[in-house]
Amino acid sequence: MRVASETGRRVCLVVSMALLVGGAVAGCGKTKGDAASDAKSVTLWEYMDPGEKAVLDSLLAEYQTAHAGTTITSEHYTPEDLRNQFQTAAQSGGGPDIAYGPSDNAGPFSVMQLVQPVDALMPAGYLDNFLPTSLDTLNGHVWQLPDQFGNHLMLICNTALVPHPPQTINELIAMAKAATRDSTYGLVFNTAEPFWLVPFLGGYGGWVMDAQSKPTLDSPAMAKALALVARFKAEHIMPSECDYNTADALFKEGRAAMIINGLWGMEGYLAKKLPMQVARIPRIIETGRWSQPMISGRGYYVNAHVTAAKKPLVIDLLVFLTSPQAEMRYARSARTLPSRAECYGPDSWVSRDPLLAGALDQTTVGRRMPVAPEMRVIWDAMRPQMQNVMNGSAQPAAAATAMQADATQKIAAMHK
């Protein structure tokens, strides 16, 4: 699972860590040698799921075969380890030439001046080939070159247990009740992480921050979203304790009719040969809005310390890795949504695959995840209060107020 583990640490703490221990890892990830050999080698750190990693390894092998004398070294990390180790190493002038990860790394990486803007690095007009929804701009620049977009939540139904996807929240609850029996639940999702709360917040007309990156958590919409998620538990359509692993395991075992999850879980569900349909998270009747999951990209960041001699190789490799052909290999093998516009159309395999078509449809009512550094602080403020509501120790309206106060305080401390 990506996002729950990809959110959660304060930028100020990470920056402090980088400053404190940066000297101990200076040069980490780089092999020093003569300028000629250095210009023929690239190091890449990545966080990818197993299916994506297999595609990357095959692409890098092909690239090196076609470019004699070029060495591409890749290392795999967990999301938090990649972020923290990249920040620490790059702060001291080291780290990999390229780091692959989620779009919300753009905030801390750019603020700390650890990466260079890809809109200035890539050839003129190159970004015109990408879906506009796959590109994030922060402070006037694009900091990540995406090879996929989405990374979002959607409703996945086991069609052996529910006849069709529900269209409204009320229908969702009714269908989930009908499917709940013995050791089978009607609905499961991660109720420990606020990423799973956000779709309902958006459905009620709220959001996590305003255009100035100030938190907007103390709202009627937040209180209603928290109350709705608590209602799912009170209606006994889901386990009393339901984290990501619990929800994922129940769905894989055929013991959950519906799960709210992302494409990152699809590989495991397909391996179990589950009959599935992907649909939008249902509408909120009160507002008429569809639930609004956060939409984000994943892709490549270029270390600010990449030398002028090495830049041509880095650029050429990135063009290869984000080509339509490469992105279609990820789509077919790992069920990802390509970032390149050429990969779509009525005759495209992506458009014809029912699972990816459903995931793509969900993005049309989603909303971009903010990449501002304040977003990490907001996650930290939301998480404990959401958990308090779920365990019954806080009321939704009070929890929303506490979220706002905590986020405001943390952001003020971050900017000191």
Side-chain angles (χ1 to χ4, degrees):
M1 190 278 299
R2 297 174 186 166
V3 182
S5 59
E6 289 175 355
T7 58
R9 293 194 181 182
R10 292 174 57 188
V11 174
C12 56
L13 293 178
V14 175
V15 173
S16 297
M17 183 183 295
L19 292 172
L20 288 171
V21 302
V25 293
C28 177
K30 292 185 179 292
T31 301
K32 301 300 181 182
D34 61 84
S37 61
D38 186 58
K40 298 286 285 183
S41 67
V42 172
T43 55
L44 186 156
W45 290 358
E46 50 79 18
Y47 160 59
M48 288 186 173
D49 296 326
E52 297 168 321
K53 181 68 164 60
V55 175
L56 176 67
D57 289 344
S58 67
L59 289 170
L60 294 182
E62 290 175 16
Y63 187 87
Q64 290 176 95
T65 298
H67 297 77
T70 297
T71 301
I72 313 295
T73 303
S74 67
E75 297 182 37
H76 179 74
Y77 290 83
T78 66
E80 288 295 334
D81 284 346
L82 187 147
R83 179 186 301 118
N84 293 335
Q85 293 198 38
F86 179 81
Q87 288 176 160
T88 303
Q91 185 76 20
S92 300
D97 301 301
I98 302 171
Y100 180 92
S103 63
D104 60 346
N105 282 339
F109 287 0
S110 63
V111 167
M112 297 171 70
Q113 300 182 343
L114 305 180
V115 295
Q116 48 191 295
V118 295
D119 54 325
L121 179 71
M122 302 304 292
Y126 187 71
L127 296 186
D128 295 342
N129 299 309
F130 292 75
L131 294 171
T133 50
S134 72
L135 300 171
D136 286 295
T137 300
L138 183 63
N139 297 325
H141 289 289
V142 178
W143 300 94
Q144 179 202 60
L145 186 66
D147 71 340
Q148 61 177 271
F149 88 107
N151 201 27
H152 60 284
L153 297 171
M154 54 203 173
L155 187 69
I156 306 172
C157 300
N158 182 330
T159 54
L161 299 176
V162 288
H164 56 79
Q167 295 295 298
T168 68
I169 291 297
N170 288 359
E171 188 181 3
L172 170 74
I173 293 173
M175 292 175 66
K177 283 183 176 180
T180 300
R181 65 181 70 87
D182 301 325
S183 60
T184 299
Y185 295 93
L187 174 68
V188 293
F189 64 90
N190 187 358
T191 61
E193 282 291 336
F195 187 71
W196 275 258
L197 174 66
V198 165
F200 307 113
L201 173 64
Y204 280 112
W207 198 238
V208 293
M209 64 168 61
D210 62 19
Q212 288 73 46
S213 301
K214 295 181 180 179
T216 55
L217 305 176
D218 189 8
S219 67
M222 177 62 79
K224 291 175 182 178
L226 288 165
L228 177 62
V229 176
R231 181 186 173 190
F232 293 148
K233 177 181 173 181
E235 296 279 4
H236 304 293
I237 59 178
M238 64 192 312
S240 57
E241 301 291 338
C242 195
D243 60 11
Y244 183 86
N245 290 333
T246 299
D248 187 59
L250 286 169
F251 194 77
K252 283 179 179 175
E253 294 166 5
R255 296 172 52 208
M258 295 173 280
I259 186 172
I260 297 175
N261 205 9
L263 282 174
W264 55 84
M266 199 60 66
E267 188 175 359
Y269 306 152
L270 289 170
K272 295 292 184 179
K273 302 186 184 305
L274 296 172
M276 290 182 294
Q277 185 172 351
V278 173
R280 297 179 183 182
I281 303 172
R283 286 186 296 111
I284 306 292
I285 291 181
E286 180 180 338
T287 64
R289 295 172 178 262
W290 287 95
S291 298
Q292 293 183 316
M294 282 185 170
I295 310 298
S296 62
R298 299 178 81 207
Y300 301 93
Y301 297 92
V302 178
N303 194 315
H305 304 295
V306 168
T307 64
K310 185 177 290 192
K311 278 186 180 181
L313 176 58
V314 167
I315 293 170
D316 190 66
L317 177 61
L318 291 177
V319 168
F320 175 75
L321 292 175
T322 57
S323 66
Q325 295 79 12
E327 292 194 10
M328 283 303 301
R329 285 168 64 172
Y330 282 110
R332 289 177 178 272
S333 297
R335 286 304 201 286
T336 61
L337 289 173
S339 62
R340 293 289 295 255
E342 301 98 311
C343 296
Y344 296 89
D347 297 325
S348 165
W349 183 87
V350 174
S351 301
R352 289 184 285 109
D353 179 80
L355 298 179
L356 288 182
L360 183 63
D361 179 62
Q362 176 71 90
T363 68
T364 63
V365 293
R367 190 166 175 178
R368 292 296 300 183
M369 177 191 288
V371 297
E374 290 83 358
M375 189 64 239
R376 296 194 182 282
V377 175
I378 288 175
W379 288 130
D380 285 345
M382 292 175 68
R383 186 177 297 104
Q385 295 303 323
M386 177 184 177
Q387 294 171 358
N388 287 343
V389 171
M390 294 306 296
N391 65 31
S393 63
Q395 293 299 309
T401 300
M403 284 181 184
Q404 180 74 18
D406 193 25
T408 300
Q409 181 182 16
K410 284 180 166 64
I411 289 174
M414 184 183 78
H415 289 301
K416 283 184 179 179

